[in-house]
PDB file of all heavy atoms in Angstrom:
ATOM      1  N   ILE B 728      64.779 159.599 127.739  1.00 95.00           N
ATOM      2  CA  ILE B 728      64.244 160.118 126.475  1.00 95.00           C
ATOM      3  C   ILE B 728      65.276 161.024 125.809  1.00 95.00           C
ATOM      4  O   ILE B 728      65.531 160.910 124.602  1.00 95.00           O
ATOM      5  CB  ILE B 728      62.923 160.887 126.723  1.00 95.00           C
ATOM      6  CG1 ILE B 728      61.838 159.905 127.185  1.00 95.00           C
ATOM      7  CG2 ILE B 728      62.470 161.603 125.453  1.00 95.00           C
ATOM      8  CD1 ILE B 728      60.548 160.576 127.591  1.00 95.00           C
ATOM      9  N   GLU B 729      65.896 161.882 126.619  1.00 92.00           N
ATOM     10  CA  GLU B 729      66.906 162.777 126.059  1.00 92.00           C
ATOM     11  C   GLU B 729      68.088 161.990 125.505  1.00 92.00           C
ATOM     12  O   GLU B 729      68.672 162.349 124.494  1.00 92.00           O
ATOM     13  CB  GLU B 729      67.375 163.753 127.141  1.00 92.00           C
ATOM     14  CG  GLU B 729      67.339 165.200 126.661  1.00 92.00           C
ATOM     15  CD  GLU B 729      68.039 166.143 127.609  1.00 92.00           C
ATOM     16  OE1 GLU B 729      67.533 166.290 128.744  1.00 92.00           O
ATOM     17  OE2 GLU B 729      69.066 166.716 127.219  1.00 92.00           O
ATOM     18  N   TYR B 731      67.982 159.191 124.092  1.00 93.00           N
ATOM     19  CA  TYR B 731      67.627 158.621 122.796  1.00 93.00           C
ATOM     20  C   TYR B 731      67.255 159.675 121.769  1.00 93.00           C
ATOM     21  O   TYR B 731      67.024 159.355 120.601  1.00 93.00           O
ATOM     22  CB  TYR B 731      66.484 157.606 122.947  1.00 93.00           C
ATOM     23  CG  TYR B 731      67.001 156.228 123.290  1.00 93.00           C
ATOM     24  CD1 TYR B 731      67.140 155.832 124.606  1.00 93.00           C
ATOM     25  CD2 TYR B 731      67.384 155.351 122.285  1.00 93.00           C
ATOM     26  CE1 TYR B 731      67.644 154.582 124.925  1.00 93.00           C
ATOM     27  CE2 TYR B 731      67.893 154.099 122.587  1.00 93.00           C
ATOM     28  CZ  TYR B 731      68.017 153.723 123.907  1.00 93.00           C
ATOM     29  OH  TYR B 731      68.520 152.496 124.202  1.00 93.00           O
ATOM     30  N   ALA B 732      67.150 160.946 122.208  1.00 90.00           N
ATOM     31  CA  ALA B 732      66.639 162.006 121.326  1.00 90.00           C
ATOM     32  C   ALA B 732      67.391 162.057 119.997  1.00 90.00           C
ATOM     33  O   ALA B 732      66.767 162.111 118.927  1.00 90.00           O
ATOM     34  CB  ALA B 732      66.698 163.348 122.042  1.00 90.00           C
ATOM     35  N   ILE B 735      66.520 159.195 117.752  1.00 93.00           N
ATOM     36  CA  ILE B 735      65.135 159.319 117.298  1.00 93.00           C
ATOM     37  C   ILE B 735      65.042 160.331 116.158  1.00 93.00           C
ATOM     38  O   ILE B 735      64.364 160.092 115.155  1.00 93.00           O
ATOM     39  CB  ILE B 735      64.228 159.722 118.485  1.00 93.00           C
ATOM     40  CG1 ILE B 735      64.082 158.527 119.430  1.00 93.00           C
ATOM     41  CG2 ILE B 735      62.853 160.191 118.007  1.00 93.00           C
ATOM     42  CD1 ILE B 735      63.426 158.842 120.749  1.00 93.00           C
ATOM     43  N   LEU B 740      62.163 159.309 113.756  1.00 96.00           N
ATOM     44  CA  LEU B 740      60.927 158.881 114.402  1.00 96.00           C
ATOM     45  C   LEU B 740      60.391 160.112 115.119  1.00 96.00           C
ATOM     46  O   LEU B 740      61.119 161.089 115.285  1.00 96.00           O
ATOM     47  CB  LEU B 740      61.210 157.806 115.447  1.00 96.00           C
ATOM     48  CG  LEU B 740      61.766 156.469 114.973  1.00 96.00           C
ATOM     49  CD1 LEU B 740      62.328 155.703 116.155  1.00 96.00           C
ATOM     50  CD2 LEU B 740      60.673 155.670 114.285  1.00 96.00           C
ATOM     51  N   SER B 741      59.138 160.055 115.539  1.00 96.00           N
ATOM     52  CA  SER B 741      58.697 161.175 116.365  1.00 96.00           C
ATOM     53  C   SER B 741      58.278 160.632 117.719  1.00 96.00           C
ATOM     54  O   SER B 741      57.737 159.529 117.828  1.00 96.00           O
ATOM     55  CB  SER B 741      57.554 161.936 115.702  1.00 96.00           C
ATOM     56  OG  SER B 741      56.388 161.172 115.768  1.00 96.00           O
ATOM     57  N   LEU B 742      58.589 161.396 118.744  1.00 97.00           N
ATOM     58  CA  LEU B 742      58.292 160.938 120.096  1.00 97.00           C
ATOM     59  C   LEU B 742      57.506 162.004 120.843  1.00 97.00           C
ATOM     60  O   LEU B 742      57.848 163.183 120.796  1.00 97.00           O
ATOM     61  CB  LEU B 742      59.598 160.640 120.847  1.00 97.00           C
ATOM     62  CG  LEU B 742      59.434 160.095 122.272  1.00 97.00           C
ATOM     63  CD1 LEU B 742      60.455 159.016 122.543  1.00 97.00           C
ATOM     64  CD2 LEU B 742      59.563 161.193 123.322  1.00 97.00           C
ATOM     65  N   VAL B 743      56.419 161.582 121.479  1.00 97.00           N
ATOM     66  CA  VAL B 743      55.717 162.504 122.383  1.00 97.00           C
ATOM     67  C   VAL B 743      55.801 161.908 123.782  1.00 97.00           C
ATOM     68  O   VAL B 743      55.713 160.694 123.964  1.00 97.00           O
ATOM     69  CB  VAL B 743      54.230 162.709 122.006  1.00 97.00           C
ATOM     70  CG1 VAL B 743      54.099 163.598 120.804  1.00 97.00           C
ATOM     71  CG2 VAL B 743      53.528 161.388 121.805  1.00 97.00           C
ATOM     72  N   SER B 744      56.003 162.796 124.752  1.00 96.00           N
ATOM     73  CA  SER B 744      56.071 162.282 126.113  1.00 96.00           C
ATOM     74  C   SER B 744      55.065 163.003 126.988  1.00 96.00           C
ATOM     75  O   SER B 744      54.753 164.178 126.767  1.00 96.00           O
ATOM     76  CB  SER B 744      57.477 162.449 126.676  1.00 96.00           C
ATOM     77  OG  SER B 744      57.793 163.808 126.767  1.00 96.00           O
ATOM     78  N   ASP B 745      54.534 162.267 127.941  1.00 97.00           N
ATOM     79  CA  ASP B 745      53.554 162.825 128.872  1.00 97.00           C
ATOM     80  C   ASP B 745      54.069 162.519 130.275  1.00 97.00           C
ATOM     81  O   ASP B 745      53.793 161.466 130.852  1.00 97.00           O
ATOM     82  CB  ASP B 745      52.194 162.158 128.612  1.00 97.00           C
ATOM     83  CG  ASP B 745      51.140 162.601 129.611  1.00 97.00           C
ATOM     84  OD1 ASP B 745      51.386 163.604 130.305  1.00 97.00           O
ATOM     85  OD2 ASP B 745      50.084 161.935 129.689  1.00 97.00           O
ATOM     86  N   LEU B 768      62.506 151.630 125.753  1.00 97.00           N
ATOM     87  CA  LEU B 768      62.609 152.661 124.719  1.00 97.00           C
ATOM     88  C   LEU B 768      63.519 152.175 123.580  1.00 97.00           C
ATOM     89  O   LEU B 768      63.256 152.440 122.411  1.00 97.00           O
ATOM     90  CB  LEU B 768      63.131 153.968 125.328  1.00 97.00           C
ATOM     91  CG  LEU B 768      63.061 155.183 124.400  1.00 97.00           C
ATOM     92  CD1 LEU B 768      61.631 155.401 123.918  1.00 97.00           C
ATOM     93  CD2 LEU B 768      63.560 156.432 125.100  1.00 97.00           C
ATOM     94  N   ALA B 771      61.468 150.150 121.248  1.00 96.00           N
ATOM     95  CA  ALA B 771      60.575 150.982 120.434  1.00 96.00           C
ATOM     96  C   ALA B 771      61.361 151.648 119.312  1.00 96.00           C
ATOM     97  O   ALA B 771      60.921 151.670 118.156  1.00 96.00           O
ATOM     98  CB  ALA B 771      59.885 152.029 121.318  1.00 96.00           C
ATOM     99  N   VAL B 772      62.544 152.179 119.641  1.00 95.00           N
ATOM    100  CA  VAL B 772      63.350 152.868 118.634  1.00 95.00           C
ATOM    101  C   VAL B 772      63.896 151.874 117.614  1.00 95.00           C
ATOM    102  O   VAL B 772      63.926 152.125 116.414  1.00 95.00           O
ATOM    103  CB  VAL B 772      64.510 153.639 119.312  1.00 95.00           C
ATOM    104  CG1 VAL B 772      65.465 154.189 118.271  1.00 95.00           C
ATOM    105  CG2 VAL B 772      63.954 154.765 120.173  1.00 95.00           C
ATOM    106  N   GLY B 779      57.890 156.434 112.193  1.00 96.00           N
ATOM    107  CA  GLY B 779      56.941 155.895 113.162  1.00 96.00           C
ATOM    108  C   GLY B 779      56.775 156.824 114.355  1.00 96.00           C
ATOM    109  O   GLY B 779      57.474 157.831 114.474  1.00 96.00           O
ATOM    110  N   HIS B 780      55.821 156.459 115.208  1.00 97.00           N
ATOM    111  CA  HIS B 780      55.539 157.299 116.373  1.00 97.00           C
ATOM    112  C   HIS B 780      55.756 156.520 117.661  1.00 97.00           C
ATOM    113  O   HIS B 780      55.354 155.366 117.762  1.00 97.00           O
ATOM    114  CB  HIS B 780      54.102 157.816 116.335  1.00 97.00           C
ATOM    115  CG  HIS B 780      53.805 158.601 115.103  1.00 97.00           C
ATOM    116  ND1 HIS B 780      53.478 157.986 113.919  1.00 97.00           N
ATOM    117  CD2 HIS B 780      53.807 159.935 114.869  1.00 97.00           C
ATOM    118  CE1 HIS B 780      53.286 158.915 112.998  1.00 97.00           C
ATOM    119  NE2 HIS B 780      53.478 160.111 113.556  1.00 97.00           N
ATOM    120  N   ILE B 781      56.368 157.201 118.619  1.00 97.00           N
ATOM    121  CA  ILE B 781      56.578 156.591 119.935  1.00 97.00           C
ATOM    122  C   ILE B 781      55.956 157.520 120.964  1.00 97.00           C
ATOM    123  O   ILE B 781      56.034 158.746 120.819  1.00 97.00           O
ATOM    124  CB  ILE B 781      58.081 156.427 120.235  1.00 97.00           C
ATOM    125  CG1 ILE B 781      58.740 155.530 119.182  1.00 97.00           C
ATOM    126  CG2 ILE B 781      58.304 155.865 121.631  1.00 97.00           C
ATOM    127  CD1 ILE B 781      60.246 155.442 119.309  1.00 97.00           C
ATOM    128  N   SER B 782      55.324 156.947 121.969  1.00 97.00           N
ATOM    129  CA  SER B 782      54.867 157.810 123.059  1.00 97.00           C
ATOM    130  C   SER B 782      55.303 157.199 124.383  1.00 97.00           C
ATOM    131  O   SER B 782      55.303 155.978 124.562  1.00 97.00           O
ATOM    132  CB  SER B 782      53.357 158.003 123.012  1.00 97.00           C
ATOM    133  OG  SER B 782      52.717 156.827 123.415  1.00 97.00           O
ATOM    134  N   VAL B 783      55.728 158.080 125.273  1.00 98.00           N
ATOM    135  CA  VAL B 783      56.199 157.653 126.592  1.00 98.00           C
ATOM    136  C   VAL B 783      55.402 158.424 127.630  1.00 98.00           C
ATOM    137  O   VAL B 783      55.216 159.637 127.496  1.00 98.00           O
ATOM    138  CB  VAL B 783      57.699 157.970 126.773  1.00 98.00           C
ATOM    139  CG1 VAL B 783      58.178 157.523 128.140  1.00 98.00           C
ATOM    140  CG2 VAL B 783      58.518 157.297 125.686  1.00 98.00           C
ATOM    141  N   VAL B 796      55.595 152.757 127.400  1.00 98.00           N
ATOM    142  CA  VAL B 796      56.278 153.090 126.156  1.00 98.00           C
ATOM    143  C   VAL B 796      55.478 152.412 125.047  1.00 98.00           C
ATOM    144  O   VAL B 796      55.337 151.197 125.039  1.00 98.00           O
ATOM    145  CB  VAL B 796      57.737 152.576 126.151  1.00 98.00           C
ATOM    146  CG1 VAL B 796      58.407 152.902 124.828  1.00 98.00           C
ATOM    147  CG2 VAL B 796      58.517 153.176 127.307  1.00 98.00           C
TER     148      VAL B 796
END
Side-chain angles (χ1 to χ4, degrees):
Chain B
I728 293 174
E729 230 191 294
Y731 274 91
I735 288 170
L740 296 164
S741 73
L742 182 140
V743 285
S744 64
D745 175 15
L768 190 57
V772 172
H780 302 82
I781 300 173
S782 73
V783 180
V796 178

